[in-house]
Amino acid sequence: MPAPRDLRCGLTVEIGDVAMVVRAADLERARAMAPVVAELPPERRDPLVEVEYTATATPVPSRPPDEIHGPLCLWHEGTVLRLSYADGRVTAAATATSIRAGGDGVDLADAWRFVFHYALAHVLALHGRYLLHAGAIATDGGALIVTGASGSGKSTLVLAALDAGWSALSDDLVAVRPGETGPEACGIAKPFRVPSELLATTDRTAGGRPASRDRSQVRGHEWKPGWVRVRSVVAVGHNDSPHAALTPVRATEAVELAVAAFIAMGDPSQLRPYLPIATGIGKHGGYRIRHGNDPSTRLLEAAGALAALGAP
């Protein structure tokens, strides 16, 4: 994890092949930002985007928001996205060249996680990359985009894939873009956290303190860097039996899964250019994997379901 002093000075990292400099105005905000940027690879190119977290809130519109996601409100103003967290205690503005967030009076780390991911989705889309709330695992045949709501088992499937010898791009955030032979995916590196009960069934160990009461950070993994051609999409969920279930889905449903994973889908100006990519992701159909309900065998069951999709 980067030291807070690094973020005070400005740390240049690569996100979706876009160079960004990340900076905090003080140590408190540096500590809040650090877990989110902990595993982003350093970048030597000149940054195209400046990311800053300060104590000063930015203005937001007085009109009703265009989107509401829990404590977060969003306003779309062409190439500018404005955000407000916790009734305006932390606000932000995102453009093609900057993310500027500021405010006080709340848990600054929680505020940063909410604001940054939506702001990042907006910025990346303006650079031709589209951010998905998804994981991705890779085979010789290409990447499988792993979709599902929080708690659906994306990280579980990624851990099962790693244990079975697959490569993984990410467990939670993936950027996609058009490629010469179809959509390509690039993982957004971040700390890998899984249900703590699964660590007893794998050789991997927890790193540092538990991330929360029921999730722990996994040590002993490497995210696959670079862009990988997308093969298909896999939606994950939970089963009522100890066994994992694998079922195919038609192309129309696979495209819907890819669309639903797009973080900026509430902005029509960004959804329109993403739709052809989503169509490319799902055009050959996809799969659903439902995890078994027995923690002691869940990873093995998930690995068995993955084996039916091909060798790693």
Side-chain angles (χ1 to χ4, degrees):
M1 183 179 296
R5 64 177 177 273
D6 295 331
L7 291 170
R8 287 292 313 278
C9 298
L11 183 67
T12 302
V13 297
E14 178 263 313
I15 308 179
D17 202 28
V18 177
M20 303 188 187
V21 60
V22 183
R23 185 179 293 109
D26 51 58
L27 285 175
E28 187 178 12
R29 283 160 184 80
R31 294 187 185 101
M33 297 174 83
V36 176
V37 302
E39 295 191 12
L40 293 172
E43 178 57 70
R44 293 186 177 181
R45 293 175 297 172
D46 291 338
L48 298 176
V49 180
E50 293 185 356
V51 181
E52 188 175 27
Y53 199 11
T54 74
T56 305
T58 62
V60 295
S62 57
R63 64 179 175 85
D66 298 308
E67 295 182 69
I68 299 176
H69 300 278
L72 189 67
C73 295
L74 284 69
W75 292 265
H76 305 295
E77 299 179 340
T79 59
V80 179
L81 175 68
R82 300 193 184 276
L83 309 96
S84 171
Y85 177 83
D87 297 324
R89 278 171 277 185
V90 170
T91 62
T95 71
T97 58
S98 68
I99 297 173
R100 304 200 185 281
D104 212 340
V106 294
D107 184 317
L108 294 174
D110 280 348
W112 179 250
R113 282 192 293 270
F114 266 94
V115 167
F116 181 61
H117 290 155
Y118 282 93
L120 180 64
H122 180 81
V123 171
L124 287 179
L126 295 175
H127 289 268
R129 287 106 168 106
Y130 300 89
L131 188 62
L132 309 185
H133 180 208
I137 53 181
T139 71
D140 289 341
L144 297 172
I145 303 296
V146 182
T147 69
S150 296
S152 61
K154 296 188 299 296
S155 298
T156 296
L157 191 67
V158 170
L159 180 58
L162 288 169
D163 281 355
W166 298 53
S167 298
L169 284 68
S170 173
D171 75 312
D172 192 56
L173 290 175
V174 177
V176 295
R177 69 179 185 185
E180 291 184 0
T181 61
E184 300 173 338
C186 174
I188 309 298
K190 57 182 296 190
F192 183 22
R193 298 184 174 106
V194 302
S196 300
E197 61 191 3
L198 295 181
L199 291 180
T201 66
T202 178
D203 291 336
R204 302 173 193 276
T205 57
R209 297 179 180 178
S212 68
R213 184 174 60 183
D214 57 353
R215 295 184 76 86
S216 295
Q217 185 169 324
V218 179
R219 181 186 297 160
H221 74 283
E222 292 185 3
W223 298 126
K224 180 179 178 64
W227 293 92
V228 180
R229 183 181 63 84
V230 176
R231 168 183 163 189
S232 189
V233 60
V234 178
V236 293
H238 299 284
N239 208 2
D240 293 331
S241 83
H243 304 293
L246 171 67
T247 55
V249 300
R250 296 177 182 267
T252 52
E253 186 177 357
V255 172
E256 290 172 356
L257 292 170
V259 170
F262 181 39
I263 291 178
M265 68 176 297
D267 183 349
S269 68
Q270 298 197 357
L271 180 60
R272 280 191 295 271
Y274 171 65
L275 286 176
I277 300 173
T279 300
I281 291 172
K283 68 178 181 180
H284 297 302
Y287 307 91
R288 287 189 182 275
I289 291 178
R290 291 182 172 84
H291 293 298
N293 62 9
D294 183 349
S296 68
T297 59
R298 190 173 297 145
L299 291 178
L300 286 175
E301 288 286 330
L306 285 172
L309 303 182

